[in-house]
Amino acid sequence: MPLNDERPNSTSSGEDQGSDVESSSERCDSMTLNSDLECSRDSFTSDSSSKHCTPSCDPPKTLTLDEVMESARDLFNLSLSHEIVMNRNFHLEPNSLPQDSLLKVVRDNLHKAFWDILEAELNDDPPEYGQAIRLVEEIREILLSFLNPGANRMRTQIMEVLDMDLIRQQADNDAVDIQGLASYIITTMGKMCAPVRDEEIKKLRESTDNIVTLFKEIFRVLSLMRADMVNCTIENLRPVLQRQSVEYERAKFQSILDKTPSALDRTTSWIKSALEDLQSAIVPTEQTNGHGKGQPLVPGPFQVLNAAFIRILTWDYSKSPPPETWMTDEIRLQEIHWQLQQCQAVNEVLLIVYSTIGGPIQGLPSLSDRLKRMISVLLDGMHKPSSLEGVSAQICCELNKSLTERNYPALTPALQATLTGQICNITQKDNPIRTLVEDRVQQYFMALICDPKPQSKLEQIPAGLTAIKPELAIIGAKFISLVNYNKTVYGPFYADILRKLMFSNSPSVASPPQNTAQDSVTNN
């Protein structure tokens, strides 16, 4: 009877996430970024490249099933190792399917059929032990899988007591002691389990259920023990992976790229879009070359890469998946995207409220905090008109209460209607308040990306964003940690893409508008 499958699970509090960000950023600072990006810088202007530093350029080919399966394994290993490194709360637990799901119904029916057959065979006269022997044999293999390589004494004892040839001979003579075998299995489990499972083992020892129900419980506890063993292995591997994660992830991605040359198509398109946006914003130079013709400027490679990272911050996941080099961080990026949208909406609403009402509510931190908390709770449906109308109504109630408490007149119906209309209007992309907030948020993140020491700039919030300063600093730390690690792992691949996009026709390269743009790639 197979055990339940395990599935990844992670839980983290705000404090844990903050510590993860700090530890991840420290790892990025200590990794081999400088040497990797020296290779990247060389590859900008040189056609020579090594397999380790640049993606393969093989012509399209038909993949065999074995190659597809091997690529899938590489992708799984890459994703798993990345999750272990980036999320210290990552662990496995037995899979619990939704209560009303079809898969759970099918699985439960199959399990019920198995146990019903076992019970029917054991109740026969004489008993039939075929199903029970297969069950004991599977339990034996599970127990042996828990042993360390050097546990020869315990291995020998299990093989002797659960000798399947002997048990089959006893079954042929109707002399199998199933209860005795179950007792030995429970005792052995007690020697192997983690202390947290002692209570479960105690319940098994004291169980008065029939043998079929007892074996059901044995399998349930074995499932928990197997998850414990895997999680213990993860904890032991984490320090090793943290030291070697960059090389390992890069090698795995290169392996995927060797088998599927199209594995960088979305990444190339992402960088190309950032390049085209920058090119359209650059004014052609007034200088002329030797032939007297004006020569257009193009942005520098580090400027393009930084602009591409800003695009990731505002990626629309409903339209397309992220670039391949970001696939292992997709869930984290979506969480950052949602949090940032929430913060921006809160800030936009507060700006509208204070600009509309003015003096009577200025200089009241407690009111500002109450409005901020209330808006954050109500804005769980981001930029939906119905949600914003509800927010407006609650804001008007809170403002009227505050104004009357301080002997100011309540808001007039006309002013309330104006306030509601302005708040609901932030759903429009060309809304000036929304545009202002989004531009300044992007300026903030660009400054972090371009700075060689972004941690010192987290608290330097642009004007107009003071209301969300704490939240923005937390989001900024998370995002910069992901960007730094991503640059460290995939920098050589980005360098090769940029070289092909920017230097194929050898145009003039413009200096980045900020001196820190290039330094950010080599020092972060």
Side-chain angles (χ1 to χ4, degrees):
M1 182 64 186
L3 289 170
N4 293 336
D5 295 333
E6 282 86 12
R7 63 177 176 86
N9 183 46
S10 64
T11 55
S12 60
S13 63
E15 182 179 345
D16 292 337
Q17 290 175 348
S19 60
D20 286 344
V21 166
E22 293 175 3
S23 61
S24 176
S25 179
E26 291 170 359
R27 288 198 301 274
C28 290
D29 290 340
S30 64
M31 289 174 183
T32 58
L33 180 59
N34 291 340
S35 60
D36 292 336
L37 287 158
E38 285 300 323
C39 171
S40 303
R41 184 181 298 176
D42 293 341
S43 69
F44 284 142
T45 55
S46 172
D47 288 334
S48 61
S49 60
S50 65
K51 181 179 179 180
H52 176 71
C53 290
T54 59
S56 301
C57 301
D58 297 333
K61 63 177 182 178
T62 303
L63 298 178
T64 65
L65 179 60
D66 289 342
E67 288 175 326
V68 172
M69 296 300 294
E70 189 173 352
S71 294
R73 285 192 295 271
D74 286 339
L75 178 58
F76 175 80
N77 291 336
L78 171 62
S79 301
L80 181 60
S81 65
H82 184 80
E83 195 66 28
I84 291 173
V85 169
M86 299 300 290
N87 182 6
R88 69 180 182 135
N89 294 307
F90 175 80
H91 65 279
L92 299 178
E93 64 179 20
N95 187 22
S96 56
L97 298 173
Q99 191 65 31
D100 56 349
S101 69
L102 177 62
L103 185 57
K104 185 178 187 302
V105 173
V106 173
R107 188 191 66 179
D108 290 348
N109 286 336
L110 289 174
H111 287 189
K112 184 177 183 302
F114 175 88
W115 295 113
D116 287 348
I117 292 172
L118 176 63
E119 186 171 17
E121 288 184 352
L122 293 179
N123 290 334
D124 281 349
D125 190 15
E128 171 60 46
Y129 294 103
Q131 197 87 329
I133 291 175
R134 286 190 290 272
L135 195 67
V136 172
E137 186 172 15
E138 184 172 349
I139 292 174
R140 185 187 71 170
E141 296 306 313
I142 295 172
L143 293 176
L144 292 175
S145 71
F146 291 158
L147 297 176
N148 293 323
N152 296 325
R153 182 177 178 181
M154 177 70 77
R155 187 181 306 275
T156 301
Q157 184 187 77
I158 292 174
M159 294 296 290
E160 288 178 352
V161 176
L162 301 180
D163 185 337
M164 302 315 301
D165 292 335
L166 178 60
I167 293 174
R168 288 189 181 93
Q169 291 178 11
Q170 293 174 341
D172 292 339
N173 295 284
D174 195 17
V176 178
D177 183 6
I178 293 293
Q179 191 66 48
L181 293 175
S183 297
Y184 172 77
I185 290 169
I186 294 170
T187 301
T188 305
M189 290 167 60
K191 296 177 182 178
M192 294 179 169
C193 70
V196 72
R197 303 301 173 197
D198 287 346
E199 189 64 29
E200 297 282 358
I201 298 298
K202 181 180 178 182
K203 291 179 181 178
L204 290 178
R205 288 197 177 104
E206 297 174 352
S207 174
T208 58
D209 296 325
N210 62 47
I211 192 64
V212 174
T213 303
L214 181 59
F215 270 109
K216 282 185 186 179
E217 288 300 299
I218 286 175
F219 264 97
R220 184 184 65 82
V221 177
L222 283 173
S223 179
L224 297 175
M225 289 174 60
R226 187 161 68 173
D228 294 339
M229 184 189 70
V230 172
N231 290 328
C232 180
T233 303
I234 288 173
E235 288 301 315
N236 292 333
L237 281 177
R238 182 171 281 116
V240 179
L241 286 174
Q242 288 174 346
R243 290 192 298 269
Q244 302 178 3
S245 59
V246 171
E247 292 80 4
Y248 178 81
E249 289 188 34
R250 188 183 298 155
K252 282 297 178 185
F253 191 81
Q254 180 67 61
S255 176
I256 295 171
L257 194 59
D258 289 341
K259 300 178 185 68
T260 51
S262 62
L264 277 175
D265 286 356
R266 291 202 306 272
T267 302
T268 302
S269 177
W270 160 58
I271 296 177
K272 184 178 180 181
S273 297
L275 173 61
E276 291 172 347
D277 287 348
L278 288 174
Q279 285 176 330
S280 64
I282 291 179
V283 178
T285 178
E286 296 293 333
Q287 299 176 355
T288 59
N289 58 18
H291 300 285
K293 295 181 179 179
Q295 189 173 9
L297 287 174
V298 296
F302 300 102
Q303 187 181 2
V304 175
L305 194 57
N306 291 341
F309 289 135
I310 292 297
R311 291 177 68 89
I312 281 292
L313 189 66
T314 57
W315 195 270
D316 189 348
Y317 297 92
S318 64
K319 293 183 178 179
S320 63
E324 296 89 350
T325 54
W326 284 98
M327 58 190 175
T328 52
D329 285 314
E330 182 173 359
I331 294 177
R332 277 176 283 273
L333 288 174
Q334 288 182 354
E335 180 183 0
I336 288 174
H337 178 79
W338 183 87
Q339 291 173 348
L340 188 59
Q341 291 291 314
Q342 190 88 351
C343 286
Q344 289 178 172
V346 170
N347 197 84
E348 292 160 11
V349 172
L350 288 175
L351 285 177
I352 291 172
V353 169
Y354 278 90
S355 64
T356 303
I357 308 303
I361 60 172
Q362 297 290 341
L364 298 173
S366 59
L367 175 62
S368 178
D369 290 341
R370 288 201 306 273
L371 290 174
K372 179 180 174 181
R373 288 195 301 269
M374 180 179 65
I375 295 167
S376 299
V377 171
L378 295 174
L379 277 181
D380 53 356
M382 185 59 60
H383 284 177
K384 292 181 179 178
S386 58
S387 298
L388 293 174
E389 288 174 4
V391 169
S392 303
Q394 292 293 328
I395 287 175
C396 290
C397 290
E398 187 66 30
L399 290 175
N400 285 331
K401 177 181 176 183
S402 175
L403 290 170
T404 53
E405 286 176 352
R406 292 177 293 110
N407 298 322
Y408 282 98
L411 301 178
T412 64
L415 188 56
Q416 292 187 39
T418 299
L419 186 61
T420 299
Q422 290 184 359
I423 291 175
C424 292
N425 197 43
I426 65 174
T427 57
Q428 306 299 320
K429 290 187 177 181
D430 59 350
N431 178 272
I433 298 294
R434 177 175 174 178
T435 301
L436 174 67
V437 171
E438 289 178 350
D439 287 347
R440 292 191 178 178
V441 166
Q442 291 198 18
Q443 291 172 14
Y444 170 72
F445 280 95
M446 180 60 80
L448 293 180
I449 292 173
C450 293
D451 197 279
K453 295 182 179 179
Q455 298 298 326
S456 63
K457 297 290 184 69
L458 290 173
E459 300 293 329
Q460 297 181 17
I461 305 296
L465 304 180
T466 308
I468 56 172
K469 178 179 178 179
E471 294 80 8
L472 205 56
I474 293 173
I475 296 172
K478 291 179 183 178
F479 184 66
I480 290 302
S481 175
L482 294 180
V483 167
N484 287 343
Y485 188 83
N486 185 272
K487 284 192 293 188
T488 307
V489 175
Y490 299 104
F493 300 99
Y494 295 152
D496 188 66
I497 292 172
L498 286 165
R499 176 178 58 80
K500 292 174 181 177
L501 290 175
M502 300 179 64
F503 298 99
S504 57
N505 297 322
S506 299
S508 298
V509 180
S511 298
Q514 299 181 11
N515 294 332
T516 57
Q518 180 168 331
D519 295 337
S520 69
V521 182
T522 58
N523 294 329
N524 283 355

